[in-house]
Amino acid sequence: AIRLYNWAQHPAEAEYDATVAIPEFKGKVAPKPQGLLIDINAADYTVGTTVNEVKNNTGIGTFKSEGSSIPVTLKDNRIAFQLDGSQKLQSTFAMPTNMKDNAPYTMTAWILNPEASERECIVDLHPVDQDGELGRVVFGNGFNNGSGIIFHNGSYEEYGLRDYQGSNEWHHWAVTFDGHMERVYCDGKLINEKNVKLRMFENRVVTIGQTAD
């Protein structure tokens, strides 16, 4: 499950988000707070099938596969999209125009990544036709010490988790930005915070599984 909010979650919200996502895999429907832009969940699909298009449960567009189809599997009692690096889901819609410059955001995802590579993309917020410094947000799960977890087309503003090799267990990851501090959480616990300044462009599509480029 991946969620994107257009505000920075309070630490208590991030911790709560990590707990409420568990029953959603059992088919329950959680209330959608105001500001939720993207909500995709593999539990909406049948285990053993493959998908080429994923619905956005907020009703804002869909995600279409560019590359091979994506298997829906059952892994450690959770229904999951099995991404191997060859697939890329791209939104049929762009982010709202108010999500630009130094706008706050929150991205959350349940991830089981048994063997991390140097850079693995979970979600990329990328402008369609621009690629300037600090103009993008990539939420990753790789072992690059400098930018394996957060990449902004910058240097100081990015973040990597030293000695990260992945995990054979499910973990709830979240990154929040309030326009001043960017914070990374794992299972509701703060693991990094940094004062950053972004320059995000308009007309950004959302890409899952690979970076947009």
Side-chain angles (χ1 to χ4, degrees):
I2 295 175
R3 291 174 176 163
L4 170 64
Y5 304 84
N6 66 345
W7 79 84
Q9 286 184 333
H10 185 275
E13 288 183 288
E15 186 172 359
Y16 177 72
D17 194 278
T19 63
V20 297
I22 295 172
E24 288 184 345
F25 287 95
K26 299 176 183 179
K28 296 181 181 178
V29 178
K32 296 178 176 60
Q34 184 178 5
L36 182 60
L37 302 173
I38 294 169
D39 183 8
I40 68 170
N41 197 328
D44 295 330
Y45 301 88
T46 303
V47 173
T49 62
T50 61
V51 296
N52 291 300
E53 186 171 15
V54 175
K55 66 180 179 180
N56 181 6
N57 289 322
T58 66
I60 307 172
T62 64
F63 289 84
K64 292 189 176 181
S65 175
E66 297 184 0
S68 57
S69 299
I70 300 173
V72 180
T73 64
L74 183 65
K75 180 68 174 178
D76 291 352
N77 297 317
R78 297 193 180 205
I79 300 174
F81 295 122
Q82 185 177 340
L83 300 169
D84 61 15
S86 68
Q87 308 106 327
K88 177 168 71 173
L89 284 168
Q90 194 160 80
S91 66
T92 60
F93 57 94
M95 286 287 89
T97 56
N98 63 344
M99 282 198 67
K100 64 176 182 177
D101 300 325
N102 205 46
Y105 69 89
T106 295
M107 285 188 279
T108 72
W110 280 98
I111 300 169
L112 190 154
N113 185 10
E115 188 175 344
S117 59
E118 184 175 10
R119 289 185 176 86
E120 295 195 37
C121 174
I122 306 302
V123 180
D124 181 13
L125 306 184
H126 187 274
V128 174
D129 55 1
Q130 301 184 68
D131 197 23
E133 184 178 8
L134 305 181
R136 71 192 301 179
V137 178
V138 178
F139 178 23
N141 200 249
F143 66 71
N144 183 278
N145 289 340
S147 59
I149 305 298
I150 300 296
F151 175 74
H152 290 308
N153 237 14
S155 54
Y156 165 80
E157 294 81 7
E158 298 170 350
Y159 171 65
L161 189 59
R162 185 172 297 278
D163 300 323
Y164 179 67
Q165 297 298 320
S167 173
N168 282 308
E169 298 179 350
W170 285 103
H171 292 285
H172 182 272
W173 288 83
V175 55
T176 76
F177 180 58
D178 61 7
H180 175 64
M181 298 294 294
E182 190 169 61
R183 297 178 172 91
V184 179
Y185 299 84
C186 185
D187 297 329
K189 306 301 180 183
L190 180 68
I191 61 174
N192 185 72
E193 61 180 356
K194 186 180 289 188
N195 182 357
V196 304
K197 178 78 171 178
L198 302 179
R199 295 198 294 258
M200 294 187 288
F201 299 104
E202 291 187 30
N203 300 321
R204 282 168 298 123
V205 295
V206 182
T207 307
I208 296 170
Q210 296 181 19
T211 57
D213 50 1

